[in-house]
C-alpha cells in the first residue's frame, strides 16, 4: 500500500474538479490510511522548485460545491509548444518530474484532466511511475468513457442560455445564435440544442452549408415562426472551409457565430445577434450530477491505485465506473456519431444540422 499519493489538476478547469479532489482525499485518508499531497498548477508544480500542498480532511472540507480547482491548473504548461500552428505538444521532462515526486515521497499520482493531461500521465506510467487518470472536460471528447465530469454542468448552462435567448428571439423576430465551446467536437452544442429547443444545431462533425441555414430560417418564417434559434459549436466548419480562430497562433477557437450572424443579416435582412457563452460554461458550481460523478470517479481512482492498478483511467461505462487503459482514452478524440441516435432524434423532431443535403436526411 502506498504511504503517500499526489494529485494534480491539468488542462482547462471544469465544474466538479473539487468534488474529485475531496473524494480522493477522503478515500485515501479515511479508507486506506494514505497521505495526500496536492500538486499546484498542473505538472508545472512538480518541475523546477515543486509547488505542493498537504491535503488534509480539513483542507478539502466545504469544497464540494465550489467551482474551479483548489490546486490551480494550466492548459498550456510551461513545457508546452505549439507546433506548425496545428497542435499543442507537451514536451514534458518526465524524468525530472518523477525525481521530484520521489524527493517529495510521493509514491503514486492521480491526474485529473483531458486528452493532453492524460497523455502526459501515460508517460509517467511508461516510465514505471504508478498513475491513475480521471477524465475531466466540459467538451466530453475523451474516448473510452461515456461521460467526463463537467460536461453535464456545461450543458445545463448552455441550455439555460438557449431558453433565455428563445424568449428574446421570439419577441423581436430575430435570429439568435449561441456559440458554445467544445473544441473540435459538438457534444455541448448537440445536447444543449436538444434540451434548449434549438432550430439549428451546427457541429464540427457535420460541415454546414450556409444555404441550408437560410432554408431553415425561411421555412420557419413561412410557417409563421418568424424567429430562429441556432446553437453553433466553436469548432464548426462550413463545407470546404477551415475552423475560425480567435487567436490562430494560440489555437484558440472562436468567432464562427459572429461570422454566421453577419452573413444571415446580409442575406435575409432579418436582425440577428450572436452570444458567445465562453467560460461561463466552465466556471461556477458543478450541478448535482457532476458532483456525484466526480465523487465516484475520485473514490474509484484511489481504490484502483490501492488495488495495484496503474496506467489506467477511471471511466463511466453503462452507468458503472470502471478502469480502462490510459492509452485507449487518449488514442482518439471522441466525436459525435453523425448517424447516432441523438442526431437522428434531433432530425426527427425537426432540428436542422445545416448539412448540404439536410432536406433529404
Ligand atoms: O477544453 C475546454 C475548453 O473550454 C474548450 O471547450 C475551449 O476551446 C478551450 O478550453 C478554451 O480554452 P481557454 O481557457 O484557454 O480559452
Amino acid at each position: 500500500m502506498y504511504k503517500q499519493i499526489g494529485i494534480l489538476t491539468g488542462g482547462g478547469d471544469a465544474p466538479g474538479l473539487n468534488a474529485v479532489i475531496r473524494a480522493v482525499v477522503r478515500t485515501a485518508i479515511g479508507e486506506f490510511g494514505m497521505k495526500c499531497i496536492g500538486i499546484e498548477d498542473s505538472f508545472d508544480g512538480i518541475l523546477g522548485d515543486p509547488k505542493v500542498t498537504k491535503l488534509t480532511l480539513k483542507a478539502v472540507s466545504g469544497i464540494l460545491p465550489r467551482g474551479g480547482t483548489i490546486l490551480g491548473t494550466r492548459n498550456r504548461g510551461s513545457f508546452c509548444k505549439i507546433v506548425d500552428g496545428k497542435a499543442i505538444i507537451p514536451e514534458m521532462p518526465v524524468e525530472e518530474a518523477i525525481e521530484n515526486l520521489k524527493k517529495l515521497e510521493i509514491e503514486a499520482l492521480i491526474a485529473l484532466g483531458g486528452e493532453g493531461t492524460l497523455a502526459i500521465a501515460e508517460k509517467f506510467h511508461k516510465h514505471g511511475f504508478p498513475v491513475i487518470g480521471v477524465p475531466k472536460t466540459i467538451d466530453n471528447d475523451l474516448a473510452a468513457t461515456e461521460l467526463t465530469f463537467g460536461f453535464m454542468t456545461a450543458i445545463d448552462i448552455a441550455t439555460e442560455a438557449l431558453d433565455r435567448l428563445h424568449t428574446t428571439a421570439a419577441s423581436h423576430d430575430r435570429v439568435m445564435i449561441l456559440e458554445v465551446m467544445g473544441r473540435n467536437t459538438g457534444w455541448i452544442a448537440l445536447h444543449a440544442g436538444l434540451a434548449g429547443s434549438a432550430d439549428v444545431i451546427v457541429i464540427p462533425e457535420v460541415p454546414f452549408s450556409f444555404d441550408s441555414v437560410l432554408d431553415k430560417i425561411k421555412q420557419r418564417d413561412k410557417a409563421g415562426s418568424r424567429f430562429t434559434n441556432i446553437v453553433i459549436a466553436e469548432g464548426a466548419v462550413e463545407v470546404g472551409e477551415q475552423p475560425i480562430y480567435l487567436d490562430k497562433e494560440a489555437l484558440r477557437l472562436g468567432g464562427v457565430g459572429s461570422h454566421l450572424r453577419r452573413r444571415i443579416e446580409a442575406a435575409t435582412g432579418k436582425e440577428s445577434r450572436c452570444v458567445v457563452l465562453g467560460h461561463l460554461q466552465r466556471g461556477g458550481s458543478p450541478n448535482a450530477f457532476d458532483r456525484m460523478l466526480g465523487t465516484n470517479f475520485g473514490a474509484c481512482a484511489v481504490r484502483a491505485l490501492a488495488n495495484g492498478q496503474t496506467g489506467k483511467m477511471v471511466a463511466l461505462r453503462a452507468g458503472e465506473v470502471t478502469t480502462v487503459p490510459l492509452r485507449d482514452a487518449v488514442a482518439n478524440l471522441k466525436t459525435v456519431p453523425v448517424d447516432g441516435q441523438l442526431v437522428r432524434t434531433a432530425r426527427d423532431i425537426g432540428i436542422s444540422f445545416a448539412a448540404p443535403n439536410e432536406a433529404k436526411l
Side-chain angles (χ1 to χ4, degrees), residues 229-299:
N229 271 310
I230 301 175
V231 59
I232 187 163
E234 61 182 357
V237 281
E238 192 166 356
V239 177
E241 300 292 333
Q242 293 298 314
I244 296 179
Y245 288 92
L246 265 183
D247 181 344
K248 178 89 178 92
E249 297 249 301
L251 293 178
R252 283 181 62 213
L253 287 162
V256 68
S258 298
H259 181 71
L260 189 61
R261 183 200 73 74
R262 281 192 294 276
R263 290 173 66 196
I264 288 173
E265 273 197 354
T268 64
K270 286 179 82 75
E271 278 192 316
S272 177
R273 300 285 187 269
C274 172
V275 173
V276 180
L277 204 49
H279 293 79
L280 291 174
Q281 291 157 101
R282 293 213 323 234
S285 197
N287 68 8
F289 183 85
D290 281 331
R291 294 181 200 191
M292 180 278 293
L293 183 64
T295 300
N296 203 6
F297 274 164

Side-chain angles (χ1 to χ4, degrees), residues 12 75-76 137-139 181-183 234 252-253 279 282:
N75 59 359
R76 287 170 182 91
T137 166
I138 63 161
D139 304 335
M181 284 184 165
R183 280 204 296 174
E234 61 182 357
R252 283 181 62 213
L253 287 162
H279 293 79
R282 293 213 323 234

Side-chain angles (χ1 to χ4, degrees), residues 2 5-8 39 43 46 94 98 101 106-113 117-134 300-302 304-306 308-314 323-327:
Y2 304 112
I5 61 171
I7 174 169
L8 63 79
I39 295 157
F43 292 101
I46 38 171
V94 181
I98 292 177
L101 286 170
I106 295 174
E107 298 162 317
L109 186 63
I110 294 184
L112 282 51
T117 307
L118 298 179
I120 298 172
E122 214 218 338
K123 290 187 184 170
F124 281 69
H125 166 63
K126 284 190 177 149
H127 279 73
F129 196 86
V131 63
I132 295 287
V134 181
C300 288
V302 178
L305 269 186
Q309 294 194 51
T310 172
K312 301 281 178 67
M313 177 185 85
V314 291
T323 54
V324 295
L326 270 171
R327 66 172 177 280

Side-chain angles (χ1 to χ4, degrees), residues 14 114 135-152 154-155 181-183 185-188 191 205 289-290 293 297 316 332-336 342:
K136 165 246 58 160
T137 166
I138 63 161
D139 304 335
N140 198 36
D141 60 357
L142 269 176
T145 182
E146 282 157 18
L147 285 175
T148 53
F149 71 86
F151 173 60
M152 286 296 184
I155 295 172
M181 284 184 165
R183 280 204 296 174
T185 64
W187 294 104
I188 298 176
H191 285 242
E205 292 85 347
F289 183 85
D290 281 331
L293 183 64
F297 274 164
L316 187 72
N332 298 302
L333 207 62
K334 183 179 70 186
T335 54
V336 172
L342 274 189

